Amino acid sequence: MKNDYQQIDPKTLPMPAPSHPPAPRGGDQEERQPQEQRRKARRKWQVFPGRNRFFCDGRIILARKSGVLPLTLGLILVTSGLFFVFDCPFLVQHLTMCVPVIGGVLFVFVLITLLQTTLTDPGILPRATPDEAADIEKQIDESRNGGYQSPPRTREVEINGQVVKLKYCPTCKMFRPPRTSHCRVCDNCVERFDHHCPWVGNCVGKRNYRFFYFFIVSLSFHTAFIFGCVTTHLALMIQEHETSFSHMDLELVVCFFSVWSIVGLSGFHTYLVASNRTTNEDIKGSWSGKSGGEPVTNPYSHRNICKNCCSILCGPMPPSLIDRRGFLPEDECVQTGDGGDIELPVLTTKNEINMVGKHPCLPLHPAV
Amino acid sequence: MWFHNLQELRHSASLANKVFIQRDYSEGTTCKFQTKFPSELETRIERSLFEDTVKTLNNYYAEAEKIGGQSYLEGCLACATAYLIFLCMETRYEKVLKKIAKYIQEQNEKIYAPRGLLITDPIERGMRVIEISIYEDRGSSGSSSSSSSVSGSTTR
């Protein structure tokens, strides 16, 4: 049975030759061995359809609109700078050496988690290939012709006993997996989409939610710590009848307003983490209320606060799916854009496939 | 057997169709693929072989996403180092992805290519689908009864 292939006329579909392995990495150099009539091999980030910017030859990803990230950085650096320059010497003298040490540790943690949140791929889903998009269109047409009365371009799945509707994304040309949402700012579908945060200039999603959470928690501690230290400094100076504390005004004002908003935000996200919800779901009220007379429950929750927290914050780090640094095959297999070509799988022999990809369509290093 | 290895598949075959195995979300957002046997493969491969492949892949993904002692340790260590450790350490997920790539390569060589089929690693499709390409022998003459879905997948 398995040898009865349907024979077709010899086609002239060109079979792509195996792609040449990339030249050794050299910083931002992209030059490859020159081919006679071929373009230089390009990396996938160069044809990425979303609104993102890439640096260091695709190693670093940023949303195109950085929002108020410069303001966030500026506030953190200026306030912390003033604290270290003016308050620390005084408090070291009058209190303890631990003040700048604790302040320093918190400051470093805040900066690193902020950069991680901003520069990490939040869980962007690559757009459907033309073949996949065509297959989905065919299935949609078939279900419509079958007389099934569900709204067009939605699919219902049952997840842990709860019916969830999957919507079709017209930009990415696929049915969005559960908890995935399309960010209008970045023009990407993001897995486990929480929200697009202008303060960090990036979406917060499956891959960088833990960085975001630790950023706001550490920032709460940091601002509260600075606020406490500056207040102590002020109190001690008033005791010593000193009057020149103009720099402290700025620190106090920034910290006072930050503490309330950031601590509040940390509290809100702690609730979300404990109940395994996203900001998006909470705002839409996806898991509260009723649907068809039955109360809806969150099907993703592990029903245990500890387990929810651990799975979100300490769970395995999923890989980046967009393979920014992978090479495009020489026949330029572009993702669904404006009528792409047929994407033929590039065949390579056993010797050419190396686990961490000399193959252009395998991720070179699915990290960050 | 028309195709003995991937080399021959490349030289003497042409792509006829593609089948997409979708994700199974019944247990949540963890990576799992449906084991339903597509009708297009009925004449090409035994159901049991196909199901074995998909089940093994599902097991690999479950192993990668397992929440347990080792993943907590990795997570806590990463948090303590402000996640800088990810710059120099390969995560468990990445290690499993390499195993998956090797497994798919083996399956293609031993089982699928001899039957004129080729599995594409789901990581290349955003972990959304397992794409199985169906090839026809290019060299033989015969009636031009290409399946209708070929025209559906041509350039728009």
Side-chain angles (χ1 to χ4, degrees):
Chain A
M1 185 168 89
K2 61 179 186 277
N3 285 331
D4 292 336
Y5 304 144
Q6 264 188 322
Q7 296 303 319
I8 53 178
D9 280 343
K11 293 224 165 176
T12 53
L13 278 174
M15 293 305 289
S19 303
H20 293 270
R25 289 184 198 174
D28 293 348
Q29 289 293 323
E30 302 172 28
E31 294 304 306
R32 315 285 162 228
Q33 299 107 333
Q35 310 289 331
E36 286 120 72
Q37 313 131 337
R38 284 179 232 199
R39 294 162 283 226
K40 292 171 201 156
R42 293 199 291 168
R43 293 197 193 258
K44 290 182 185 174
W45 67 264
Q46 292 173 283
V47 297
F48 187 71
R51 285 192 215 118
N52 291 91
R53 285 181 289 174
F54 298 89
F55 300 99
C56 294
D57 198 23
R59 287 181 182 89
I60 294 174
I61 179 172
L62 212 63
R64 191 167 295 173
K65 286 187 181 169
S66 53
V68 294
L69 173 66
L71 177 67
T72 310
L73 271 172
L75 281 172
I76 293 173
L77 290 172
V78 166
T79 315
S80 306
L82 287 174
F83 167 74
F84 286 119
V85 168
F86 293 107
D87 298 299
C88 279
F90 182 89
L91 289 170
V92 164
Q93 242 183 356
H94 288 75
L95 281 181
T96 165
M97 190 58 206
C98 289
V99 168
V101 170
I102 295 171
V105 166
L106 283 172
F107 173 67
V108 166
F109 204 83
V110 163
L111 265 192
I112 290 178
T113 46
L114 171 61
L115 291 175
Q116 294 272 26
T117 311
T118 306
L119 304 177
T120 303
D121 165 17
I124 298 172
L125 278 178
R127 298 188 184 183
T129 57
D131 292 317
E132 201 185 326
D135 187 67
I136 292 174
E137 286 283 342
K138 197 177 73 163
Q139 284 175 32
I140 292 173
D141 289 338
E142 276 169 11
S143 69
R144 219 181 276 153
N145 292 338
Y148 183 49
Q149 293 303 316
S150 83
R153 310 213 163 214
T154 60
R155 209 179 247 179
E156 286 190 351
V157 293
E158 193 175 303
I159 301 177
N160 291 326
Q162 176 71 46
V163 172
V164 174
K165 271 206 182 87
L166 304 185
K167 287 189 189 158
Y168 180 79
C169 181
T171 313
C172 302
K173 300 218 181 347
M174 61 179 182
F175 280 98
R176 285 185 210 129
R179 310 191 99 173
T180 301
S181 209
H182 192 93
C183 174
R184 283 188 207 129
V185 179
C186 303
D187 201 25
N188 291 315
C189 268
V190 176
E191 281 193 287
R192 203 184 183 278
F193 179 75
D194 194 87
H195 66 287
H196 181 96
C197 185
W199 294 94
V200 303
N202 198 7
C203 289
V204 177
K206 184 173 172 185
R207 297 186 76 246
N208 66 350
Y209 185 76
R210 66 191 73 192
F211 304 143
F212 175 76
Y213 181 76
F214 285 122
F215 165 63
I216 55 176
V217 167
S218 57
L219 190 60
S220 310
F221 283 112
H222 188 54
T223 39
F225 183 75
I226 293 181
F227 188 72
C229 289
V230 172
T231 316
T232 310
H233 187 180
L234 203 61
L236 289 172
M237 283 182 84
I238 287 171
Q239 257 187 353
E240 294 174 11
H241 307 291
E242 292 268 357
T243 51
S244 61
F245 30 73
S246 58
H247 64 272
M248 285 193 259
D249 295 341
L250 175 66
E251 291 177 77
L252 279 174
V253 165
V254 170
C255 288
F256 181 75
F257 288 108
S258 309
V259 160
W260 292 114
S261 47
I262 292 170
V263 168
L265 190 66
S266 305
F268 173 62
H269 277 279
T270 305
Y271 154 72
L272 290 181
V273 165
S275 57
N276 203 329
R277 292 173 188 227
T278 63
T279 306
N280 199 33
E281 287 163 356
D282 196 71
I283 286 176
K284 286 184 188 168
S286 307
W287 311 124
S288 50
K290 294 186 181 189
S291 163
E294 291 291 319
V296 291
T297 55
N298 181 0
Y300 313 109
S301 170
H302 298 280
R303 315 261 174 254
N304 178 315
I305 290 177
C306 231
K307 206 165 178 200
N308 281 338
C309 293
C310 288
S311 71
I312 295 169
L313 303 175
C314 298
M317 185 69 183
S320 174
L321 298 174
I322 53 177
D323 187 25
R324 311 185 282 282
R325 289 179 46 77
F327 286 98
L328 290 171
E330 277 155 6
D331 60 346
E332 208 84 353
C333 67
V334 181
Q335 289 172 346
T336 308
D338 332 287
D341 299 321
I342 297 174
E343 186 188 321
L344 300 174
V346 178
L347 297 174
T348 57
T349 59
K350 189 177 172 183
N351 294 331
E352 286 165 352
I353 286 189
N354 197 340
M355 225 51 61
V356 190
K358 286 180 181 178
H359 189 299
C361 285
L362 279 175
L364 274 175
H365 187 65
V368 189
Chain B
M1 295 271 179
W2 287 104
F3 310 109
H4 297 287
N5 57 31
L6 290 174
Q7 286 263 24
E8 285 185 22
L9 193 68
R10 187 202 318 142
H11 288 303
S12 59
S14 61
L15 185 64
N17 196 3
K18 284 188 185 181
V19 176
F20 297 94
I21 313 299
Q22 301 289 337
R23 284 272 291 269
D24 174 3
Y25 294 116
S26 58
E27 288 170 21
T29 50
T30 48
C31 188
K32 194 178 168 196
F33 291 96
Q34 293 178 4
T35 47
K36 189 165 126 301
F37 188 57
S39 52
E40 292 92 335
L41 298 180
E42 264 166 25
T43 54
R44 292 300 196 106
I45 189 168
E46 292 86 348
R47 179 187 289 257
S48 57
L49 286 173
F50 168 81
E51 283 177 0
D52 279 344
T53 307
V54 178
K55 280 183 185 158
T56 311
L57 285 175
N58 286 342
N59 288 337
Y60 272 124
Y61 287 118
E63 182 197 327
E65 296 182 7
K66 197 173 74 160
I67 308 165
Q70 203 192 347
S71 74
Y72 290 155
L73 196 63
E74 197 182 63
C76 290
L77 183 67
C79 180
T81 58
Y83 297 99
L84 294 173
I85 200 156
F86 284 153
L87 297 172
C88 35
M89 192 182 87
E90 200 178 54
T91 65
R92 193 162 63 112
Y93 212 120
E94 286 163 1
K95 287 183 188 141
V96 176
L97 285 176
K98 284 188 182 173
K99 281 201 249 178
I100 289 171
K102 194 173 173 188
Y103 172 74
I104 289 178
Q105 169 72 0
E106 270 171 26
Q107 290 284 290
N108 274 335
E109 281 178 358
K110 290 184 191 154
I111 296 176
Y112 289 83
R115 292 166 171 78
L117 302 169
L118 197 74
I119 301 180
T120 304
D121 194 331
I123 192 90
E124 297 174 31
R125 298 290 178 264
M127 307 270 263
R128 278 193 310 272
V129 287
I130 302 176
E131 183 183 293
I132 302 181
S133 310
I134 302 174
Y135 288 87
E136 298 288 358
D137 182 34
R138 189 195 279 164
S140 310
S141 57
S143 54
S144 59
S145 52
S146 56
S147 53
S148 57
S149 31
V150 172
S151 54
S153 62
T154 47
T155 314
R156 287 186 180 172

